[in-house]
PDB file of all heavy atoms in Angstrom:
ATOM      1  N   VAL A 174     187.341  83.914 -79.217  1.00 95.00           N
ATOM      2  CA  VAL A 174     185.882  84.133 -79.070  1.00 95.00           C
ATOM      3  C   VAL A 174     185.626  85.052 -77.964  1.00 95.00           C
ATOM      4  O   VAL A 174     184.609  85.901 -77.985  1.00 95.00           O
ATOM      5  CB  VAL A 174     185.209  82.685 -78.761  1.00 95.00           C
ATOM      6  CG1 VAL A 174     183.781  82.834 -78.346  1.00 95.00           C
ATOM      7  CG2 VAL A 174     185.279  81.858 -79.853  1.00 95.00           C
ATOM      8  N   ARG A 175     186.398  85.008 -76.873  1.00 93.00           N
ATOM      9  CA  ARG A 175     186.061  85.894 -75.769  1.00 93.00           C
ATOM     10  C   ARG A 175     186.755  87.366 -75.745  1.00 93.00           C
ATOM     11  O   ARG A 175     186.382  88.115 -75.016  1.00 93.00           O
ATOM     12  CB  ARG A 175     186.320  85.149 -74.565  1.00 93.00           C
ATOM     13  CG  ARG A 175     187.580  85.342 -73.860  1.00 93.00           C
ATOM     14  CD  ARG A 175     188.036  84.898 -72.595  1.00 93.00           C
ATOM     15  NE  ARG A 175     189.254  85.214 -72.321  1.00 93.00           N
ATOM     16  CZ  ARG A 175     190.310  84.371 -72.405  1.00 93.00           C
ATOM     17  NH1 ARG A 175     190.148  83.123 -72.530  1.00 93.00           N
ATOM     18  NH2 ARG A 175     191.516  84.762 -72.380  1.00 93.00           N
ATOM     19  N   LEU A 176     187.652  87.531 -76.683  1.00 90.00           N
ATOM     20  CA  LEU A 176     188.306  88.841 -76.738  1.00 90.00           C
ATOM     21  C   LEU A 176     187.372  89.986 -76.893  1.00 90.00           C
ATOM     22  O   LEU A 176     186.475  89.836 -77.750  1.00 90.00           O
ATOM     23  CB  LEU A 176     189.431  88.825 -77.864  1.00 90.00           C
ATOM     24  CG  LEU A 176     190.795  88.591 -77.434  1.00 90.00           C
ATOM     25  CD1 LEU A 176     191.757  88.532 -78.660  1.00 90.00           C
ATOM     26  CD2 LEU A 176     191.199  89.570 -76.371  1.00 90.00           C
ATOM     27  N   GLY A 177     187.470  90.915 -76.193  1.00 83.00           N
ATOM     28  CA  GLY A 177     186.549  92.090 -76.314  1.00 83.00           C
ATOM     29  C   GLY A 177     185.351  91.972 -75.628  1.00 83.00           C
ATOM     30  O   GLY A 177     184.504  92.938 -75.746  1.00 83.00           O
ATOM     31  N   LEU A 178     185.030  90.909 -75.001  1.00 89.00           N
ATOM     32  CA  LEU A 178     183.871  90.500 -74.329  1.00 89.00           C
ATOM     33  C   LEU A 178     183.987  91.178 -72.869  1.00 89.00           C
ATOM     34  O   LEU A 178     184.971  90.734 -72.205  1.00 89.00           O
ATOM     35  CB  LEU A 178     183.660  89.109 -74.271  1.00 89.00           C
ATOM     36  CG  LEU A 178     182.222  88.586 -74.120  1.00 89.00           C
ATOM     37  CD1 LEU A 178     181.292  89.127 -75.211  1.00 89.00           C
ATOM     38  CD2 LEU A 178     182.138  87.024 -74.050  1.00 89.00           C
ATOM     39  N   ARG A 179     183.241  92.073 -72.406  1.00 88.00           N
ATOM     40  CA  ARG A 179     183.460  92.719 -71.172  1.00 88.00           C
ATOM     41  C   ARG A 179     182.370  92.214 -70.171  1.00 88.00           C
ATOM     42  O   ARG A 179     181.279  92.855 -70.012  1.00 88.00           O
ATOM     43  CB  ARG A 179     183.364  94.146 -71.200  1.00 88.00           C
ATOM     44  CG  ARG A 179     184.778  94.808 -71.392  1.00 88.00           C
ATOM     45  CD  ARG A 179     184.703  96.153 -71.933  1.00 88.00           C
ATOM     46  NE  ARG A 179     184.650  96.200 -73.372  1.00 88.00           N
ATOM     47  CZ  ARG A 179     185.664  95.907 -74.262  1.00 88.00           C
ATOM     48  NH1 ARG A 179     186.803  95.779 -73.745  1.00 88.00           N
ATOM     49  NH2 ARG A 179     185.568  96.101 -75.646  1.00 88.00           N
ATOM     50  N   ARG A 180     182.547  91.081 -69.712  1.00 88.00           N
ATOM     51  CA  ARG A 180     181.637  90.486 -68.615  1.00 88.00           C
ATOM     52  C   ARG A 180     182.494  89.525 -67.825  1.00 88.00           C
ATOM     53  O   ARG A 180     183.410  88.927 -68.353  1.00 88.00           O
ATOM     54  CB  ARG A 180     180.464  89.872 -69.222  1.00 88.00           C
ATOM     55  CG  ARG A 180     180.777  88.853 -70.378  1.00 88.00           C
ATOM     56  CD  ARG A 180     179.459  88.474 -70.996  1.00 88.00           C
ATOM     57  NE  ARG A 180     178.663  87.633 -70.294  1.00 88.00           N
ATOM     58  CZ  ARG A 180     177.479  87.098 -70.684  1.00 88.00           C
ATOM     59  NH1 ARG A 180     177.021  87.395 -71.892  1.00 88.00           N
ATOM     60  NH2 ARG A 180     176.794  86.402 -69.908  1.00 88.00           N
ATOM     61  N   PRO A 181     182.088  89.385 -66.618  1.00 91.00           N
ATOM     62  CA  PRO A 181     183.048  88.565 -65.692  1.00 91.00           C
ATOM     63  C   PRO A 181     183.029  87.076 -66.024  1.00 91.00           C
ATOM     64  O   PRO A 181     184.012  86.450 -65.888  1.00 91.00           O
ATOM     65  CB  PRO A 181     182.409  88.747 -64.306  1.00 91.00           C
ATOM     66  CG  PRO A 181     180.996  89.254 -64.560  1.00 91.00           C
ATOM     67  CD  PRO A 181     181.067  90.060 -65.851  1.00 91.00           C
ATOM     68  N   ASP A 182     182.030  86.585 -66.653  1.00 92.00           N
ATOM     69  CA  ASP A 182     181.916  85.192 -66.988  1.00 92.00           C
ATOM     70  C   ASP A 182     182.223  84.927 -68.400  1.00 92.00           C
ATOM     71  O   ASP A 182     181.823  83.956 -69.139  1.00 92.00           O
ATOM     72  CB  ASP A 182     180.510  84.472 -66.685  1.00 92.00           C
ATOM     73  CG  ASP A 182     179.446  85.253 -67.307  1.00 92.00           C
ATOM     74  OD1 ASP A 182     179.693  86.380 -67.844  1.00 92.00           O
ATOM     75  OD2 ASP A 182     178.219  84.767 -67.429  1.00 92.00           O
ATOM     76  N   ALA A 183     183.102  85.729 -68.995  1.00 92.00           N
ATOM     77  CA  ALA A 183     183.473  85.713 -70.401  1.00 92.00           C
ATOM     78  C   ALA A 183     183.886  84.282 -70.836  1.00 92.00           C
ATOM     79  O   ALA A 183     183.566  83.767 -71.844  1.00 92.00           O
ATOM     80  CB  ALA A 183     184.440  86.786 -70.811  1.00 92.00           C
ATOM     81  N   ASP A 184     184.779  83.706 -69.926  1.00 91.00           N
ATOM     82  CA  ASP A 184     185.337  82.495 -70.239  1.00 91.00           C
ATOM     83  C   ASP A 184     184.295  81.422 -70.431  1.00 91.00           C
ATOM     84  O   ASP A 184     184.305  80.715 -71.408  1.00 91.00           O
ATOM     85  CB  ASP A 184     186.286  81.988 -69.044  1.00 91.00           C
ATOM     86  CG  ASP A 184     187.623  82.575 -69.365  1.00 91.00           C
ATOM     87  OD1 ASP A 184     188.129  82.674 -70.445  1.00 91.00           O
ATOM     88  OD2 ASP A 184     188.449  82.925 -68.384  1.00 91.00           O
ATOM     89  N   GLU A 185     183.429  81.322 -69.435  1.00 92.00           N
ATOM     90  CA  GLU A 185     182.311  80.303 -69.526  1.00 92.00           C
ATOM     91  C   GLU A 185     181.397  80.507 -70.669  1.00 92.00           C
ATOM     92  O   GLU A 185     181.073  79.616 -71.338  1.00 92.00           O
ATOM     93  CB  GLU A 185     181.461  80.303 -68.279  1.00 92.00           C
ATOM     94  CG  GLU A 185     182.348  80.033 -67.054  1.00 92.00           C
ATOM     95  CD  GLU A 185     182.020  80.948 -65.872  1.00 92.00           C
ATOM     96  OE1 GLU A 185     180.782  80.962 -65.484  1.00 92.00           O
ATOM     97  OE2 GLU A 185     182.933  81.631 -65.336  1.00 92.00           O
ATOM     98  N   VAL A 186     180.988  81.745 -70.904  1.00 93.00           N
ATOM     99  CA  VAL A 186     180.204  82.054 -72.062  1.00 93.00           C
ATOM    100  C   VAL A 186     180.883  81.564 -73.386  1.00 93.00           C
ATOM    101  O   VAL A 186     180.197  81.035 -74.232  1.00 93.00           O
ATOM    102  CB  VAL A 186     179.805  83.531 -72.013  1.00 93.00           C
ATOM    103  CG1 VAL A 186     178.890  83.843 -73.166  1.00 93.00           C
ATOM    104  CG2 VAL A 186     179.064  83.948 -70.775  1.00 93.00           C
ATOM    105  N   ALA A 187     182.078  82.051 -73.469  1.00 93.00           N
ATOM    106  CA  ALA A 187     182.843  81.631 -74.677  1.00 93.00           C
ATOM    107  C   ALA A 187     182.823  80.140 -74.928  1.00 93.00           C
ATOM    108  O   ALA A 187     182.603  79.672 -75.955  1.00 93.00           O
ATOM    109  CB  ALA A 187     184.242  82.141 -74.660  1.00 93.00           C
ATOM    110  N   GLU A 188     183.105  79.346 -73.814  1.00 93.00           N
ATOM    111  CA  GLU A 188     183.126  77.986 -73.941  1.00 93.00           C
ATOM    112  C   GLU A 188     181.794  77.323 -74.256  1.00 93.00           C
ATOM    113  O   GLU A 188     181.767  76.469 -75.105  1.00 93.00           O
ATOM    114  CB  GLU A 188     183.622  77.400 -72.556  1.00 93.00           C
ATOM    115  CG  GLU A 188     184.279  76.017 -72.724  1.00 93.00           C
ATOM    116  CD  GLU A 188     185.338  75.807 -71.645  1.00 93.00           C
ATOM    117  OE1 GLU A 188     185.833  76.872 -71.135  1.00 93.00           O
ATOM    118  OE2 GLU A 188     185.648  74.613 -71.441  1.00 93.00           O
ATOM    119  N   ARG A 189     180.671  78.034 -73.695  1.00 93.00           N
ATOM    120  CA  ARG A 189     179.450  77.398 -73.993  1.00 93.00           C
ATOM    121  C   ARG A 189     179.140  77.733 -75.403  1.00 93.00           C
ATOM    122  O   ARG A 189     178.482  76.888 -76.068  1.00 93.00           O
ATOM    123  CB  ARG A 189     178.378  78.179 -72.986  1.00 93.00           C
ATOM    124  CG  ARG A 189     177.175  77.415 -72.781  1.00 93.00           C
ATOM    125  CD  ARG A 189     176.183  78.015 -71.803  1.00 93.00           C
ATOM    126  NE  ARG A 189     176.734  79.028 -70.897  1.00 93.00           N
ATOM    127  CZ  ARG A 189     176.398  80.185 -70.684  1.00 93.00           C
ATOM    128  NH1 ARG A 189     175.264  80.635 -71.157  1.00 93.00           N
ATOM    129  NH2 ARG A 189     176.862  81.042 -69.862  1.00 93.00           N
ATOM    130  N   THR A 190     179.415  78.843 -75.905  1.00 93.00           N
ATOM    131  CA  THR A 190     179.114  79.184 -77.253  1.00 93.00           C
ATOM    132  C   THR A 190     179.929  78.282 -78.240  1.00 93.00           C
ATOM    133  O   THR A 190     179.465  77.852 -79.352  1.00 93.00           O
ATOM    134  CB  THR A 190     179.327  80.667 -77.565  1.00 93.00           C
ATOM    135  OG1 THR A 190     178.923  81.402 -76.578  1.00 93.00           O
ATOM    136  CG2 THR A 190     178.788  81.094 -78.874  1.00 93.00           C
ATOM    137  N   LEU A 191     181.178  78.023 -77.903  1.00 94.00           N
ATOM    138  CA  LEU A 191     181.859  77.025 -78.756  1.00 94.00           C
ATOM    139  C   LEU A 191     181.302  75.709 -78.817  1.00 94.00           C
ATOM    140  O   LEU A 191     181.220  75.131 -79.841  1.00 94.00           O
ATOM    141  CB  LEU A 191     183.345  76.886 -78.204  1.00 94.00           C
ATOM    142  CG  LEU A 191     184.394  78.020 -78.777  1.00 94.00           C
ATOM    143  CD1 LEU A 191     185.649  77.758 -78.034  1.00 94.00           C
ATOM    144  CD2 LEU A 191     184.533  77.846 -80.255  1.00 94.00           C
ATOM    145  N   ALA A 192     180.713  75.242 -77.693  1.00 93.00           N
ATOM    146  CA  ALA A 192     180.066  74.041 -77.622  1.00 93.00           C
ATOM    147  C   ALA A 192     178.881  74.047 -78.543  1.00 93.00           C
ATOM    148  O   ALA A 192     178.416  73.140 -79.252  1.00 93.00           O
ATOM    149  CB  ALA A 192     179.699  73.653 -76.296  1.00 93.00           C
ATOM    150  N   GLU A 193     178.149  75.268 -78.548  1.00 91.00           N
ATOM    151  CA  GLU A 193     177.013  75.318 -79.447  1.00 91.00           C
ATOM    152  C   GLU A 193     177.262  75.204 -80.852  1.00 91.00           C
ATOM    153  O   GLU A 193     176.393  74.689 -81.649  1.00 91.00           O
ATOM    154  CB  GLU A 193     176.280  76.817 -79.171  1.00 91.00           C
ATOM    155  CG  GLU A 193     175.385  76.816 -77.926  1.00 91.00           C
ATOM    156  CD  GLU A 193     174.709  78.095 -77.999  1.00 91.00           C
ATOM    157  OE1 GLU A 193     173.918  78.373 -78.927  1.00 91.00           O
ATOM    158  OE2 GLU A 193     174.882  78.920 -77.021  1.00 91.00           O
ATOM    159  N   VAL A 194     178.383  75.769 -81.371  1.00 92.00           N
ATOM    160  CA  VAL A 194     178.715  75.525 -82.671  1.00 92.00           C
ATOM    161  C   VAL A 194     179.467  74.246 -82.919  1.00 92.00           C
ATOM    162  O   VAL A 194     180.014  73.962 -84.026  1.00 92.00           O
ATOM    163  CB  VAL A 194     179.596  76.742 -83.207  1.00 92.00           C
ATOM    164  CG1 VAL A 194     178.832  77.975 -83.069  1.00 92.00           C
ATOM    165  CG2 VAL A 194     180.911  76.796 -82.522  1.00 92.00           C
ATOM    166  N   GLY A 195     179.560  73.345 -81.864  1.00 92.00           N
ATOM    167  CA  GLY A 195     180.145  71.982 -82.108  1.00 92.00           C
ATOM    168  C   GLY A 195     181.579  71.987 -82.059  1.00 92.00           C
ATOM    169  O   GLY A 195     182.237  71.080 -82.577  1.00 92.00           O
ATOM    170  N   LEU A 196     182.166  72.932 -81.285  1.00 93.00           N
ATOM    171  CA  LEU A 196     183.673  72.852 -81.199  1.00 93.00           C
ATOM    172  C   LEU A 196     184.157  72.963 -79.788  1.00 93.00           C
ATOM    173  O   LEU A 196     185.107  73.700 -79.434  1.00 93.00           O
ATOM    174  CB  LEU A 196     184.230  74.142 -82.027  1.00 93.00           C
ATOM    175  CG  LEU A 196     184.085  74.128 -83.433  1.00 93.00           C
ATOM    176  CD1 LEU A 196     184.445  75.461 -84.101  1.00 93.00           C
ATOM    177  CD2 LEU A 196     184.858  72.988 -84.069  1.00 93.00           C
ATOM    178  N   ALA A 197     183.350  72.223 -78.937  1.00 90.00           N
ATOM    179  CA  ALA A 197     183.726  72.219 -77.485  1.00 90.00           C
ATOM    180  C   ALA A 197     185.112  71.943 -77.157  1.00 90.00           C
ATOM    181  O   ALA A 197     185.726  72.544 -76.360  1.00 90.00           O
ATOM    182  CB  ALA A 197     182.810  71.327 -76.808  1.00 90.00           C
ATOM    183  N   GLY A 198     185.708  71.024 -77.907  1.00 91.00           N
ATOM    184  CA  GLY A 198     187.053  70.567 -77.598  1.00 91.00           C
ATOM    185  C   GLY A 198     188.157  71.353 -78.226  1.00 91.00           C
ATOM    186  O   GLY A 198     189.359  71.170 -77.951  1.00 91.00           O
TER     187      GLY A 198
END
Side-chain angles (χ1 to χ4, degrees):
Chain A
V174 172
R175 95 170 175 252
L176 264 179
L178 204 60
R179 267 164 277 280
R180 49 192 289 179
D182 57 344
D184 273 327
E185 297 135 58
V186 180
E188 201 151 345
R189 208 180 331 138
T190 316
L191 269 177
E193 275 189 64
V194 300
L196 291 174

